[in-house]
Amino acid sequence: MSTFKLTAKFSKLLAVEATSARTPWRSKAFVTSTPLQGKMDEAKKARNKEEKMKREKEAADKRIEEMEAVQSTAVEVRKTCEFVRDTGANIVDMTKHATDKVSEAAETITVKTKNTVSGALGTAKNATDIIKDTIVGK
């Protein structure tokens, strides 16, 4: 029980000492604790600075990876566009070629039909002339 009383008196003494005017003893206590606190603050600042630099490096690395991904995507898009352009050009060439072939075939058919019709007309005319000559000539 005496320890409890002594602890209570000591805590009162500290409370009175903390609220009282400055004393030489109190000033010394603060003087000795301030450099220790300063060293702890410096170490904390150094750790914070290292952590900040680490986060910035990680962010920069992430940005570099993202830019590389964008660049590779752009290359793929370019290749795809070139493929589509070349394919479109090939389709246009093939369509032109097919159109030319169809036009050529249509002209050939038209010429052959004209020749056949004129040949048939010529043959019919010749036959008619022969018949007239035969009938009239008798």
Side-chain angles (χ1 to χ4, degrees), residues 46-101:
R47 276 195 314 269
N48 287 344
K49 187 176 181 180
E50 288 175 10
E51 289 174 5
K52 183 180 178 183
M53 289 176 66
K54 184 179 177 182
R55 286 191 306 266
E56 288 175 353
K57 184 180 183 317
E58 289 172 356
D61 290 343
K62 188 174 180 180
R63 282 188 214 109
I64 289 171
E65 289 176 9
E66 290 170 352
M67 292 305 293
E68 288 173 350
V70 167
Q71 184 179 10
S72 65
T73 302
V75 168
E76 290 299 319
V77 167
R78 182 173 157 236
K79 287 180 182 178
T80 303
C81 288
E82 288 174 354
F83 174 76
V84 169
R85 183 193 65 210
D86 293 344
T87 303
N90 287 342
I91 289 172
V92 168
D93 289 343
M94 289 169 44
T95 305
K96 262 185 180 177
H97 184 69
T99 304
D100 291 344
K101 289 289 184 182

Short mmCIF file of all heavy atoms in Angstrom, two decimals, residues 46-101:
data_model
loop_
_atom_site.label_atom_id
_atom_site.label_comp_id
_atom_site.label_asym_id
_atom_site.label_seq_id
_atom_site.Cartn_x
_atom_site.Cartn_y
_atom_site.Cartn_z
N ALA A 46 14.06 10.33 -43.77
CA ALA A 46 14.86 9.57 -44.73
C ALA A 46 14.08 8.35 -45.23
O ALA A 46 14.08 8.05 -46.43
CB ALA A 46 16.18 9.13 -44.09
N ARG A 47 13.39 7.66 -44.31
CA ARG A 47 12.57 6.50 -44.71
C ARG A 47 11.44 6.94 -45.63
O ARG A 47 11.16 6.30 -46.64
CB ARG A 47 11.99 5.80 -43.48
CG ARG A 47 12.91 4.80 -42.84
CD ARG A 47 12.15 3.89 -41.86
NE ARG A 47 11.25 4.61 -40.97
CZ ARG A 47 11.57 5.09 -39.76
NH1 ARG A 47 12.78 4.92 -39.30
NH2 ARG A 47 10.66 5.72 -39.03
N ASN A 48 10.79 8.03 -45.27
CA ASN A 48 9.70 8.54 -46.10
C ASN A 48 10.20 8.93 -47.48
O ASN A 48 9.53 8.67 -48.49
CB ASN A 48 9.04 9.75 -45.43
CG ASN A 48 8.19 9.36 -44.24
OD1 ASN A 48 7.85 8.19 -44.06
ND2 ASN A 48 7.86 10.33 -43.40
N LYS A 49 11.39 9.54 -47.52
CA LYS A 49 11.96 9.94 -48.81
C LYS A 49 12.28 8.70 -49.65
O LYS A 49 12.00 8.67 -50.85
CB LYS A 49 13.22 10.78 -48.58
CG LYS A 49 13.79 11.37 -49.83
CD LYS A 49 14.97 12.26 -49.52
CE LYS A 49 15.54 12.87 -50.79
NZ LYS A 49 16.69 13.75 -50.52
N GLU A 50 12.86 7.69 -49.02
CA GLU A 50 13.17 6.45 -49.74
C GLU A 50 11.89 5.79 -50.25
O GLU A 50 11.84 5.32 -51.39
CB GLU A 50 13.93 5.49 -48.82
CG GLU A 50 15.35 5.90 -48.53
CD GLU A 50 16.02 4.98 -47.52
OE1 GLU A 50 15.44 3.92 -47.18
OE2 GLU A 50 17.11 5.32 -47.06
N GLU A 51 10.85 5.75 -49.41
CA GLU A 51 9.59 5.15 -49.82
C GLU A 51 8.97 5.94 -50.96
O GLU A 51 8.42 5.36 -51.91
CB GLU A 51 8.63 5.08 -48.63
CG GLU A 51 9.03 4.06 -47.58
CD GLU A 51 8.15 4.12 -46.34
OE1 GLU A 51 7.17 4.90 -46.33
OE2 GLU A 51 8.44 3.39 -45.39
N LYS A 52 9.05 7.27 -50.87
CA LYS A 52 8.50 8.12 -51.93
C LYS A 52 9.24 7.87 -53.24
O LYS A 52 8.62 7.73 -54.31
CB LYS A 52 8.60 9.58 -51.54
CG LYS A 52 8.00 10.53 -52.54
CD LYS A 52 8.12 11.97 -52.08
CE LYS A 52 7.56 12.91 -53.13
NZ LYS A 52 7.75 14.31 -52.73
N MET A 53 10.57 7.78 -53.18
CA MET A 53 11.36 7.53 -54.39
C MET A 53 11.02 6.15 -54.96
O MET A 53 10.93 5.99 -56.18
CB MET A 53 12.85 7.64 -54.07
CG MET A 53 13.30 9.07 -53.81
SD MET A 53 15.02 9.21 -53.31
CE MET A 53 15.84 8.66 -54.80
N LYS A 54 10.82 5.19 -54.07
CA LYS A 54 10.47 3.84 -54.53
C LYS A 54 9.11 3.85 -55.23
O LYS A 54 8.96 3.25 -56.30
CB LYS A 54 10.44 2.89 -53.32
CG LYS A 54 10.18 1.45 -53.68
CD LYS A 54 10.19 0.57 -52.45
CE LYS A 54 9.86 -0.86 -52.80
NZ LYS A 54 9.83 -1.72 -51.62
N ARG A 55 8.12 4.55 -54.65
CA ARG A 55 6.80 4.64 -55.28
C ARG A 55 6.88 5.36 -56.62
O ARG A 55 6.24 4.96 -57.59
CB ARG A 55 5.82 5.38 -54.36
CG ARG A 55 5.36 4.55 -53.18
CD ARG A 55 4.19 5.22 -52.45
NE ARG A 55 4.44 6.58 -52.05
CZ ARG A 55 4.90 6.97 -50.87
NH1 ARG A 55 5.15 6.07 -49.94
NH2 ARG A 55 5.08 8.25 -50.60
N GLU A 56 7.69 6.43 -56.68
CA GLU A 56 7.84 7.16 -57.94
C GLU A 56 8.50 6.30 -59.00
O GLU A 56 8.10 6.33 -60.16
CB GLU A 56 8.65 8.45 -57.71
CG GLU A 56 7.89 9.52 -56.95
CD GLU A 56 8.75 10.72 -56.63
OE1 GLU A 56 9.98 10.69 -56.88
OE2 GLU A 56 8.20 11.70 -56.11
N LYS A 57 9.51 5.51 -58.61
CA LYS A 57 10.17 4.62 -59.56
C LYS A 57 9.20 3.55 -60.05
O LYS A 57 9.14 3.26 -61.26
CB LYS A 57 11.39 3.96 -58.93
CG LYS A 57 12.18 3.10 -59.91
CD LYS A 57 13.37 2.47 -59.23
CE LYS A 57 14.22 1.67 -60.18
NZ LYS A 57 13.55 0.83 -61.11
N GLU A 58 8.41 2.99 -59.14
CA GLU A 58 7.42 1.99 -59.54
C GLU A 58 6.38 2.61 -60.48
O GLU A 58 5.99 1.98 -61.47
CB GLU A 58 6.73 1.41 -58.31
CG GLU A 58 7.62 0.49 -57.49
CD GLU A 58 6.98 0.07 -56.17
OE1 GLU A 58 5.86 0.54 -55.85
OE2 GLU A 58 7.60 -0.74 -55.46
N ALA A 59 5.95 3.84 -60.18
CA ALA A 59 4.99 4.51 -61.06
C ALA A 59 5.60 4.78 -62.43
O ALA A 59 4.95 4.60 -63.46
CB ALA A 59 4.53 5.82 -60.42
N ALA A 60 6.87 5.19 -62.45
CA ALA A 60 7.54 5.44 -63.73
C ALA A 60 7.69 4.14 -64.52
O ALA A 60 7.47 4.12 -65.74
CB ALA A 60 8.92 6.07 -63.48
N ASP A 61 8.06 3.07 -63.83
CA ASP A 61 8.17 1.76 -64.50
C ASP A 61 6.82 1.33 -65.08
O ASP A 61 6.74 0.82 -66.20
CB ASP A 61 8.69 0.69 -63.53
CG ASP A 61 10.14 0.89 -63.15
OD1 ASP A 61 10.86 1.65 -63.86
OD2 ASP A 61 10.58 0.31 -62.14
N LYS A 62 5.76 1.58 -64.31
CA LYS A 62 4.42 1.22 -64.79
C LYS A 62 4.05 2.05 -66.02
O LYS A 62 3.51 1.52 -66.99
CB LYS A 62 3.40 1.44 -63.68
CG LYS A 62 2.03 0.93 -64.00
CD LYS A 62 1.10 1.05 -62.82
CE LYS A 62 -0.27 0.52 -63.17
NZ LYS A 62 -1.20 0.62 -62.05
N ARG A 63 4.38 3.34 -66.01
CA ARG A 63 4.10 4.19 -67.17
C ARG A 63 4.89 3.72 -68.39
O ARG A 63 4.38 3.73 -69.51
CB ARG A 63 4.45 5.65 -66.86
CG ARG A 63 3.39 6.32 -66.03
CD ARG A 63 3.66 7.81 -65.89
NE ARG A 63 3.20 8.22 -64.59
CZ ARG A 63 3.98 8.56 -63.57
NH1 ARG A 63 5.27 8.60 -63.71
NH2 ARG A 63 3.46 8.90 -62.42
N ILE A 64 6.14 3.31 -68.17
CA ILE A 64 6.95 2.81 -69.28
C ILE A 64 6.31 1.55 -69.87
O ILE A 64 6.22 1.41 -71.09
CB ILE A 64 8.40 2.54 -68.81
CG1 ILE A 64 9.11 3.88 -68.55
CG2 ILE A 64 9.17 1.71 -69.83
CD1 ILE A 64 10.46 3.73 -67.87
N GLU A 65 5.87 0.64 -69.00
CA GLU A 65 5.21 -0.58 -69.48
C GLU A 65 3.94 -0.24 -70.25
O GLU A 65 3.67 -0.84 -71.30
CB GLU A 65 4.87 -1.49 -68.30
CG GLU A 65 6.07 -2.15 -67.66
CD GLU A 65 5.69 -2.95 -66.42
OE1 GLU A 65 4.48 -3.14 -66.16
OE2 GLU A 65 6.61 -3.40 -65.71
N GLU A 66 3.17 0.73 -69.75
CA GLU A 66 1.95 1.12 -70.44
C GLU A 66 2.27 1.72 -71.80
O GLU A 66 1.58 1.44 -72.79
CB GLU A 66 1.17 2.12 -69.59
CG GLU A 66 0.55 1.52 -68.34
CD GLU A 66 -0.01 2.55 -67.38
OE1 GLU A 66 0.20 3.77 -67.60
OE2 GLU A 66 -0.67 2.14 -66.41
N MET A 67 3.30 2.55 -71.89
CA MET A 67 3.67 3.16 -73.16
C MET A 67 4.16 2.10 -74.15
O MET A 67 3.87 2.18 -75.34
CB MET A 67 4.74 4.24 -72.94
CG MET A 67 4.23 5.45 -72.18
SD MET A 67 2.78 6.21 -72.92
CE MET A 67 3.46 6.83 -74.43
N GLU A 68 4.90 1.11 -73.65
CA GLU A 68 5.34 0.03 -74.53
C GLU A 68 4.14 -0.76 -75.05
O GLU A 68 4.11 -1.16 -76.22
CB GLU A 68 6.32 -0.88 -73.78
CG GLU A 68 7.68 -0.25 -73.56
CD GLU A 68 8.58 -1.09 -72.67
OE1 GLU A 68 8.10 -2.08 -72.06
OE2 GLU A 68 9.78 -0.75 -72.57
N ALA A 69 3.15 -0.97 -74.19
CA ALA A 69 1.93 -1.67 -74.62
C ALA A 69 1.19 -0.86 -75.68
O ALA A 69 0.71 -1.40 -76.68
CB ALA A 69 1.03 -1.94 -73.43
N VAL A 70 1.11 0.46 -75.47
CA VAL A 70 0.45 1.33 -76.45
C VAL A 70 1.22 1.29 -77.77
O VAL A 70 0.62 1.22 -78.85
CB VAL A 70 0.36 2.78 -75.91
CG1 VAL A 70 -0.03 3.76 -77.01
CG2 VAL A 70 -0.65 2.84 -74.77
N GLN A 71 2.55 1.32 -77.68
CA GLN A 71 3.36 1.29 -78.90
C GLN A 71 3.16 -0.02 -79.66
O GLN A 71 2.97 -0.01 -80.89
CB GLN A 71 4.83 1.47 -78.55
CG GLN A 71 5.74 1.56 -79.75
CD GLN A 71 7.19 1.76 -79.34
OE1 GLN A 71 7.54 1.65 -78.18
NE2 GLN A 71 8.04 2.05 -80.31
N SER A 72 3.18 -1.14 -78.96
CA SER A 72 3.00 -2.43 -79.66
C SER A 72 1.58 -2.52 -80.24
O SER A 72 1.40 -3.06 -81.33
CB SER A 72 3.27 -3.59 -78.71
OG SER A 72 2.32 -3.63 -77.67
N THR A 73 0.60 -1.97 -79.54
CA THR A 73 -0.76 -1.96 -80.06
C THR A 73 -0.85 -1.10 -81.32
O THR A 73 -1.50 -1.47 -82.30
CB THR A 73 -1.74 -1.43 -79.00
OG1 THR A 73 -1.64 -2.26 -77.83
CG2 THR A 73 -3.17 -1.45 -79.51
N ALA A 74 -0.16 0.04 -81.31
CA ALA A 74 -0.15 0.91 -82.49
C ALA A 74 0.48 0.21 -83.68
O ALA A 74 0.01 0.34 -84.82
CB ALA A 74 0.59 2.21 -82.18
N VAL A 75 1.54 -0.56 -83.44
CA VAL A 75 2.19 -1.31 -84.52
C VAL A 75 1.21 -2.34 -85.09
O VAL A 75 1.10 -2.48 -86.31
CB VAL A 75 3.48 -1.99 -84.01
CG1 VAL A 75 4.02 -2.99 -85.01
CG2 VAL A 75 4.54 -0.93 -83.70
N GLU A 76 0.49 -3.04 -84.21
CA GLU A 76 -0.49 -4.03 -84.67
C GLU A 76 -1.61 -3.36 -85.46
O GLU A 76 -2.05 -3.88 -86.49
CB GLU A 76 -1.07 -4.80 -83.47
CG GLU A 76 -0.08 -5.74 -82.82
CD GLU A 76 0.42 -6.81 -83.75
OE1 GLU A 76 -0.37 -7.36 -84.54
OE2 GLU A 76 1.63 -7.10 -83.72
N VAL A 77 -2.07 -2.20 -85.00
CA VAL A 77 -3.13 -1.48 -85.72
C VAL A 77 -2.62 -1.07 -87.10
O VAL A 77 -3.34 -1.18 -88.10
CB VAL A 77 -3.59 -0.25 -84.91
CG1 VAL A 77 -4.44 0.69 -85.74
CG2 VAL A 77 -4.36 -0.70 -83.68
N ARG A 78 -1.38 -0.61 -87.17
CA ARG A 78 -0.80 -0.20 -88.45
C ARG A 78 -0.74 -1.39 -89.40
O ARG A 78 -1.10 -1.29 -90.59
CB ARG A 78 0.60 0.37 -88.23
CG ARG A 78 1.25 0.85 -89.48
CD ARG A 78 2.57 1.56 -89.17
NE ARG A 78 3.39 1.51 -90.34
CZ ARG A 78 4.62 1.02 -90.38
NH1 ARG A 78 5.17 0.55 -89.31
NH2 ARG A 78 5.29 1.00 -91.50
N LYS A 79 -0.28 -2.54 -88.90
CA LYS A 79 -0.21 -3.73 -89.75
C LYS A 79 -1.60 -4.14 -90.24
O LYS A 79 -1.78 -4.51 -91.40
CB LYS A 79 0.42 -4.89 -88.97
CG LYS A 79 1.91 -4.74 -88.77
CD LYS A 79 2.48 -5.90 -87.99
CE LYS A 79 3.96 -5.75 -87.74
NZ LYS A 79 4.51 -6.86 -86.94
N THR A 80 -2.59 -4.06 -89.35
CA THR A 80 -3.96 -4.41 -89.73
C THR A 80 -4.48 -3.46 -90.79
O THR A 80 -5.11 -3.89 -91.77
CB THR A 80 -4.87 -4.39 -88.49
OG1 THR A 80 -4.34 -5.29 -87.51
CG2 THR A 80 -6.28 -4.79 -88.83
N CYS A 81 -4.22 -2.17 -90.62
CA CYS A 81 -4.66 -1.18 -91.62
C CYS A 81 -4.01 -1.43 -92.98
O CYS A 81 -4.66 -1.34 -94.02
CB CYS A 81 -4.35 0.24 -91.14
SG CYS A 81 -5.40 0.78 -89.79
N GLU A 82 -2.71 -1.76 -92.96
CA GLU A 82 -2.02 -2.05 -94.22
C GLU A 82 -2.63 -3.29 -94.88
O GLU A 82 -2.82 -3.33 -96.10
CB GLU A 82 -0.53 -2.26 -93.97
CG GLU A 82 0.21 -0.98 -93.63
CD GLU A 82 1.66 -1.22 -93.24
OE1 GLU A 82 2.07 -2.40 -93.12
OE2 GLU A 82 2.38 -0.23 -93.05
N PHE A 83 -2.94 -4.31 -94.08
CA PHE A 83 -3.55 -5.53 -94.61
C PHE A 83 -4.90 -5.21 -95.24
O PHE A 83 -5.21 -5.67 -96.35
CB PHE A 83 -3.71 -6.57 -93.50
CG PHE A 83 -4.47 -7.79 -93.93
CD1 PHE A 83 -3.87 -8.75 -94.72
CD2 PHE A 83 -5.80 -7.97 -93.55
CE1 PHE A 83 -4.57 -9.87 -95.13
CE2 PHE A 83 -6.51 -9.08 -93.94
CZ PHE A 83 -5.89 -10.04 -94.74
N VAL A 84 -5.72 -4.42 -94.54
CA VAL A 84 -7.05 -4.07 -95.06
C VAL A 84 -6.90 -3.26 -96.34
O VAL A 84 -7.62 -3.48 -97.32
CB VAL A 84 -7.85 -3.29 -93.99
CG1 VAL A 84 -9.10 -2.67 -94.59
CG2 VAL A 84 -8.22 -4.20 -92.83
N ARG A 85 -5.95 -2.32 -96.37
CA ARG A 85 -5.73 -1.50 -97.57
C ARG A 85 -5.30 -2.38 -98.74
O ARG A 85 -5.85 -2.26 -99.85
CB ARG A 85 -4.65 -0.45 -97.29
CG ARG A 85 -4.40 0.48 -98.48
CD ARG A 85 -3.15 1.28 -98.33
NE ARG A 85 -2.02 0.36 -98.36
CZ ARG A 85 -0.88 0.56 -97.72
NH1 ARG A 85 -0.70 1.63 -97.01
NH2 ARG A 85 0.10 -0.32 -97.81
N ASP A 86 -4.35 -3.28 -98.51
CA ASP A 86 -3.88 -4.17 -99.58
C ASP A 86 -5.00 -5.09 -100.06
O ASP A 86 -5.16 -5.33 -101.26
CB ASP A 86 -2.69 -4.99 -99.10
CG ASP A 86 -1.46 -4.12 -98.85
OD1 ASP A 86 -1.44 -2.96 -99.32
OD2 ASP A 86 -0.53 -4.60 -98.17
N THR A 87 -5.77 -5.62 -99.12
CA THR A 87 -6.87 -6.50 -99.48
C THR A 87 -7.91 -5.73 -100.30
O THR A 87 -8.42 -6.24 -101.30
CB THR A 87 -7.53 -7.09 -98.22
OG1 THR A 87 -6.53 -7.78 -97.46
CG2 THR A 87 -8.65 -8.04 -98.57
N GLY A 88 -8.21 -4.51 -99.88
CA GLY A 88 -9.15 -3.68 -100.64
C GLY A 88 -8.64 -3.40 -102.04
O GLY A 88 -9.41 -3.46 -103.01
N ALA A 89 -7.35 -3.11 -102.17
CA ALA A 89 -6.77 -2.86 -103.49
C ALA A 89 -6.85 -4.12 -104.36
O ALA A 89 -7.17 -4.04 -105.55
CB ALA A 89 -5.32 -2.40 -103.36
N ASN A 90 -6.59 -5.28 -103.77
CA ASN A 90 -6.69 -6.54 -104.51
C ASN A 90 -8.12 -6.79 -104.97
O ASN A 90 -8.36 -7.25 -106.09
CB ASN A 90 -6.20 -7.70 -103.66
CG ASN A 90 -4.69 -7.70 -103.50
OD1 ASN A 90 -3.97 -7.06 -104.27
ND2 ASN A 90 -4.20 -8.39 -102.48
N ILE A 91 -9.07 -6.51 -104.10
CA ILE A 91 -10.48 -6.72 -104.46
C ILE A 91 -10.87 -5.79 -105.61
O ILE A 91 -11.56 -6.20 -106.55
CB ILE A 91 -11.39 -6.50 -103.24
CG1 ILE A 91 -11.19 -7.65 -102.25
CG2 ILE A 91 -12.85 -6.38 -103.64
CD1 ILE A 91 -11.88 -7.45 -100.92
N VAL A 92 -10.41 -4.54 -105.55
CA VAL A 92 -10.71 -3.60 -106.63
C VAL A 92 -10.10 -4.09 -107.94
O VAL A 92 -10.76 -4.08 -109.00
CB VAL A 92 -10.20 -2.18 -106.28
CG1 VAL A 92 -10.23 -1.26 -107.49
CG2 VAL A 92 -11.03 -1.59 -105.15
N ASP A 93 -8.86 -4.55 -107.89
CA ASP A 93 -8.20 -5.07 -109.10
C ASP A 93 -8.94 -6.29 -109.64
O ASP A 93 -9.15 -6.42 -110.86
CB ASP A 93 -6.74 -5.43 -108.81
CG ASP A 93 -5.87 -4.20 -108.58
OD1 ASP A 93 -6.30 -3.08 -108.95
OD2 ASP A 93 -4.76 -4.36 -108.02
N MET A 94 -9.32 -7.19 -108.74
CA MET A 94 -10.03 -8.40 -109.18
C MET A 94 -11.38 -8.03 -109.79
O MET A 94 -11.80 -8.61 -110.79
CB MET A 94 -10.21 -9.36 -108.00
CG MET A 94 -8.90 -10.01 -107.57
SD MET A 94 -8.95 -10.91 -106.00
CE MET A 94 -10.43 -11.84 -106.09
N THR A 95 -12.08 -7.06 -109.19
CA THR A 95 -13.37 -6.63 -109.72
C THR A 95 -13.21 -6.00 -111.10
O THR A 95 -14.00 -6.28 -112.02
CB THR A 95 -14.03 -5.63 -108.75
OG1 THR A 95 -14.11 -6.24 -107.46
CG2 THR A 95 -15.40 -5.22 -109.20
N LYS A 96 -12.17 -5.18 -111.26
CA LYS A 96 -11.91 -4.57 -112.57
C LYS A 96 -11.64 -5.64 -113.61
O LYS A 96 -12.17 -5.60 -114.73
CB LYS A 96 -10.67 -3.66 -112.49
CG LYS A 96 -10.95 -2.22 -112.31
CD LYS A 96 -9.62 -1.47 -112.37
CE LYS A 96 -9.81 -0.01 -112.20
NZ LYS A 96 -8.55 0.71 -112.19
N HIS A 97 -10.79 -6.60 -113.24
CA HIS A 97 -10.45 -7.68 -114.16
C HIS A 97 -11.70 -8.47 -114.54
O HIS A 97 -11.91 -8.79 -115.72
CB HIS A 97 -9.39 -8.58 -113.50
CG HIS A 97 -8.89 -9.67 -114.38
ND1 HIS A 97 -8.10 -9.44 -115.49
CD2 HIS A 97 -9.08 -11.02 -114.34
CE1 HIS A 97 -7.82 -10.58 -116.07
NE2 HIS A 97 -8.40 -11.57 -115.39
N ALA A 98 -12.53 -8.80 -113.56
CA ALA A 98 -13.75 -9.56 -113.84
C ALA A 98 -14.70 -8.74 -114.72
O ALA A 98 -15.31 -9.29 -115.65
CB ALA A 98 -14.44 -9.94 -112.53
N THR A 99 -14.81 -7.45 -114.45
CA THR A 99 -15.67 -6.59 -115.27
C THR A 99 -15.16 -6.53 -116.70
O THR A 99 -15.96 -6.60 -117.66
CB THR A 99 -15.72 -5.16 -114.67
OG1 THR A 99 -16.16 -5.25 -113.32
CG2 THR A 99 -16.65 -4.26 -115.44
N ASP A 100 -13.85 -6.42 -116.86
CA ASP A 100 -13.27 -6.42 -118.21
C ASP A 100 -13.57 -7.72 -118.94
O ASP A 100 -13.93 -7.72 -120.13
CB ASP A 100 -11.75 -6.18 -118.15
CG ASP A 100 -11.39 -4.77 -117.71
OD1 ASP A 100 -12.28 -3.89 -117.74
OD2 ASP A 100 -10.22 -4.56 -117.31
N LYS A 101 -13.43 -8.85 -118.24
CA LYS A 101 -13.70 -10.15 -118.85
C LYS A 101 -15.18 -10.27 -119.25
O LYS A 101 -15.49 -10.76 -120.34
CB LYS A 101 -13.34 -11.29 -117.89
CG LYS A 101 -11.86 -11.47 -117.69
CD LYS A 101 -11.22 -12.02 -118.92
CE LYS A 101 -9.75 -12.29 -118.68
NZ LYS A 101 -9.08 -12.79 -119.86
#
